[in-house]
Amino acid sequence: EHPGEIRLILGIQPARPSDMSRIIPLSEVQKHNSKKDCWVIVHGKVYDLTKFAPEHPGGSHIIHTFAGKDGSRIFDTIHTPDIFDKYTEDAPLMGTLDPKDVSEKKEEDVVKKGEKPPLDFLLNAFEFEQVAKNCLSAPAYAYISSGSDDEVTLRENHSAFGRIWLKPRVMVNVRDIDMSTEVFGYKMSFPVLIAPTALAKLAHPDGEKCYCIGAGNHEIIQIVPTLGSLTVEEITAVRQPNQIHFMQLYVNTDRKKTESLVKRAEKCGCKALFITVDAPQMGRREKDMRMKYVPQATNQEDHDQKGNRGGGTANYLSSFIDPALNWSDVEGFKKMTNMKIVIKGIQCAEDAVLAYKHGAHGIVVSNHGGRQLDYSRSAIETLPEVMDALEKCGAKGKMEVFIDGGIRRGTDILKAIALGAKAVLVGRPIIYGAAGYGADGVTKVLQLLKDEFRTAMMLCGTTKVKEIDSSMVSTKSLHHHYVASPNIDMMEYGYQPFSKL
């Protein structure tokens, strides 16, 4: 795992255990401070990362930055403490730092949590982002919140819901509301799944376990990410009895590694495989790219990396994702596993129909949270044309349809269901809930969405999810776009000024 699944994806194999008996003074560690000889201290242990640095998915420069130094603090934001204990061939343990050289953390070295209100004070998903921004490091917030290019699609994802109007009904008996639904035959308390967002330890030390606990508390399904901070085994280990998980997959250029991960997910009890197909190339997430620019190693031999901002946290994702993935591969995945096959990243009616024709059991209408192609349409705008096309080809009702992107309110959930979605995937609000309050925050975010959804159902005069349909909404304005092109105002207010970097 590096982080989580990443080391296994890259094919770095476990090796022999190392000797902890050697005591190494700090002065000795400081001598190994170059690309060709790179030792790093992590939690009092000294590792030789010379061979590992070129393999590091986040780039070698971050490893070389801490050559001859202590890299514990930044290590903790992404990795589990025992990574190097499990995989030591490329990162051998040289020994233990001399206790005399282990000093107490200075106050300025401690990442301070921002002030935050009591959990009960928060009333909606938007407020959790404000709290999270104060709790997350600047690079972490940049990675989580960023969209591609000018972030027009990022903003449009939620704005589009505002162009759909509801039609309240009155004099209907709504005393008893049933918000439950079924996805592939598995019952959920309301139609929300936790989206497979990567690197949860950027938000909270417990990583994806927070999401698993929150999902279990509300009897909904968590989709485990390929690029988690924790492995699928570690995440599913904390689930409640009868709790269901699905698995998200980025397809590796080495299909044997992909098959290995699929088999592990199936062994852990995952019931569906959500294959992400909209990322043959990562979008340019400039906020992330800029904030992830860290000081380079100061050795003269590192001059070739000076001024290289790299691609941010998202950059390493494209290092293994197979850009050759195509429709003919779907049949191979169906033979590979008994899990339901869901194609995640559908953005037009034509591809929805192709997914059906190639045997997919479901699709996610999604633009990757506004993080891929800027000026692509929102999922909620694309959904009606997808449902129309599926009906015309006889696929409606034969393939489950989900959407994600921009869901922040219970009314957003109702609008999506009314236009044909079986359920919605919620991502960033879950991350922000964990960032401020851990599993309790995730549970609270879901509770707020559930309460809002219940209210929306009651005021629209419906008592069951299956009764929600397009007669409850007006979409006359949905396709009317009012988008401000990037201009000086957006440069001033939408981007991080260089002076603050």
Side-chain angles (χ1 to χ4, degrees):
E1 311 108 12
H2 183 74
E5 308 294 347
I6 297 177
R7 267 188 82 82
L8 292 176
I9 290 169
L10 292 176
I12 302 173
Q13 300 298 320
R16 63 189 183 285
S18 301
D19 184 10
M20 280 283 293
S21 61
R22 183 184 176 192
I23 302 299
I24 304 175
L26 180 61
S27 58
E28 176 64 21
V29 177
Q30 292 172 336
K31 295 177 182 178
H32 303 268
N33 62 352
S34 67
K35 279 185 178 180
K36 297 179 180 179
D37 186 12
C38 178
W39 288 13
V40 178
I41 303 166
V42 178
H43 296 302
K45 298 177 182 178
V46 180
Y47 297 92
D48 183 350
L49 303 185
T50 308
K51 291 183 179 180
F52 172 69
E55 302 286 341
H56 185 232
S60 61
H61 65 272
I62 188 64
I63 300 292
H64 295 147
T65 297
F66 291 95
K69 303 175 184 176
D70 192 326
S72 302
R73 190 175 69 184
I74 194 166
F75 176 92
D76 285 341
T77 63
I78 299 178
H79 304 298
T80 54
D82 60 349
I83 280 178
F84 294 137
D85 294 337
K86 294 179 181 179
Y87 302 96
T88 57
E89 184 171 313
D90 293 328
L93 176 63
M94 306 306 294
T96 304
L97 185 67
D98 192 329
K100 293 184 296 185
D101 293 324
V102 178
S103 59
E104 295 295 323
K105 291 184 178 179
K106 298 179 181 179
E107 182 64 24
E108 62 267 25
D109 290 334
V110 178
V111 178
K112 298 179 181 178
K113 289 289 184 183
E115 293 185 3
K116 56 188 178 184
L119 183 56
D120 290 342
F121 185 81
L122 303 186
L123 300 178
N124 59 66
F126 295 103
E127 293 179 346
F128 279 88
E129 180 171 0
Q130 296 303 311
V131 173
K133 191 172 183 179
N134 290 332
C135 296
L136 294 166
S137 67
Y141 181 72
Y143 169 69
I144 295 165
S145 66
S146 63
S148 60
D149 297 345
D150 298 305
E151 299 188 339
V152 172
T153 293
L154 174 66
R155 294 187 293 274
E156 167 68 4
N157 277 349
H158 181 67
S159 296
F161 281 98
R163 299 196 299 274
I164 301 172
W165 295 89
L166 299 173
K167 300 178 181 179
R169 298 298 299 272
V170 298
M171 298 296 288
V172 179
N173 182 354
V174 289
R175 178 178 295 160
D176 299 316
I177 300 294
D178 181 4
M179 295 181 286
S180 67
T181 191
E182 289 188 356
V183 172
F184 295 126
Y186 301 103
K187 191 170 182 177
M188 302 196 303
S189 66
F190 76 128
V192 167
L193 298 91
I194 293 183
T197 54
L199 303 180
K201 280 173 70 70
L202 288 173
H204 191 275
D206 291 338
E208 289 80 8
K209 290 180 181 179
C210 295
Y211 308 165
C212 181
I213 293 169
N217 289 341
H218 282 282
E219 298 179 9
I220 65 170
I221 296 171
Q222 175 194 16
I223 306 174
V224 176
T226 292
L227 296 170
S229 295
L230 303 174
T231 65
V232 61
E233 291 85 359
E234 290 170 324
I235 296 167
T236 56
V238 300
R239 66 186 168 198
Q240 297 180 16
N242 301 318
Q243 184 175 345
I244 300 299
H245 278 90
F246 295 160
M247 182 75 199
Q248 176 266 340
L249 179 70
Y250 280 116
V251 178
N252 200 309
T253 51
D254 185 338
R255 296 302 173 89
K256 290 183 179 179
K257 295 186 178 72
T258 290
E259 184 172 6
S260 174
L261 177 56
V262 169
K263 295 299 184 184
R264 288 171 52 214
E266 194 164 27
K267 185 177 180 180
C268 287
C270 293
K271 304 301 184 182
L273 187 66
F274 283 58
I275 304 173
T276 298
V277 298
D278 58 3
Q281 167 65 44
M282 286 295 130
R284 287 180 56 82
R285 306 162 194 177
E286 295 173 9
K287 185 162 58 178
D288 175 40
M289 293 166 69
R290 182 169 294 129
M291 293 304 295
K292 287 303 293 183
Y293 177 57
V294 297
Q296 304 298 327
T298 57
N299 302 297
Q300 183 63 33
E301 66 182 20
D302 290 338
H303 70 277
D304 59 305
Q305 292 195 40
K306 289 183 179 180
N308 177 21
R309 292 187 181 275
T313 305
N315 185 49
Y316 67 80
L317 297 178
S318 58
S319 67
F320 71 89
I321 297 174
D322 189 356
L325 181 67
N326 61 78
W327 290 112
S328 66
D329 292 312
V330 176
E331 184 62 29
F333 286 110
K334 293 181 69 176
K335 293 178 180 178
M336 186 185 297
T337 178
N338 291 320
M339 291 185 284
K340 299 291 186 180
I341 301 298
V342 180
I343 305 300
K344 183 178 184 295
I346 297 296
Q347 297 175 73
C348 65
E350 293 84 353
D351 282 343
V353 172
L354 284 172
Y356 171 70
K357 290 182 176 179
H358 283 86
H361 302 104
I363 58 173
V364 182
V365 182
S366 169
N367 57 39
H368 212 103
R371 294 161 76 82
Q372 287 298 95
L373 181 63
D374 206 12
Y375 287 94
S376 58
R377 296 175 300 165
S378 67
I380 193 65
E381 179 180 341
T382 307
L383 181 61
E385 74 171 50
V386 164
M387 299 310 299
D388 288 345
L390 292 179
E391 185 170 22
K392 289 177 181 177
C393 74
K396 190 172 181 179
K398 299 179 181 179
M399 185 171 66
E400 304 211 337
V401 178
F402 312 92
I403 77 163
D404 69 12
I407 291 107
R408 297 295 184 272
R409 289 284 190 181
T411 50
D412 299 336
I413 302 171
L414 187 141
K415 292 172 184 179
I417 303 301
L419 294 180
K422 184 71 173 182
V424 303
L425 280 60
V426 177
R428 287 186 179 95
I430 300 300
I431 305 173
Y432 296 142
Y437 305 93
D440 289 341
V442 174
T443 301
K444 180 63 180 291
V445 168
L446 292 170
Q447 186 62 56
L448 290 171
L449 291 173
K450 183 182 285 186
D451 291 345
E452 292 174 358
F453 182 56
R454 177 186 177 85
T455 298
M457 287 181 64
M458 293 181 73
L459 296 180
C460 285
T462 183
T463 60
K464 300 182 186 303
V465 171
K466 65 182 180 181
E467 297 172 353
I468 300 173
D469 61 30
S470 59
S471 69
M472 298 179 179
V473 298
S474 172
T475 59
K476 292 180 180 179
S477 301
L478 179 55
H479 300 286
H480 297 166
H481 297 163
Y482 302 95
V483 180
S485 297
N487 54 38
I488 191 65
D489 290 333
M490 292 180 71
M491 287 296 295
E492 181 176 354
Y493 298 113
Y495 295 94
Q496 182 74 18
F498 285 111
S499 61
K500 295 184 179 180
L501 296 182

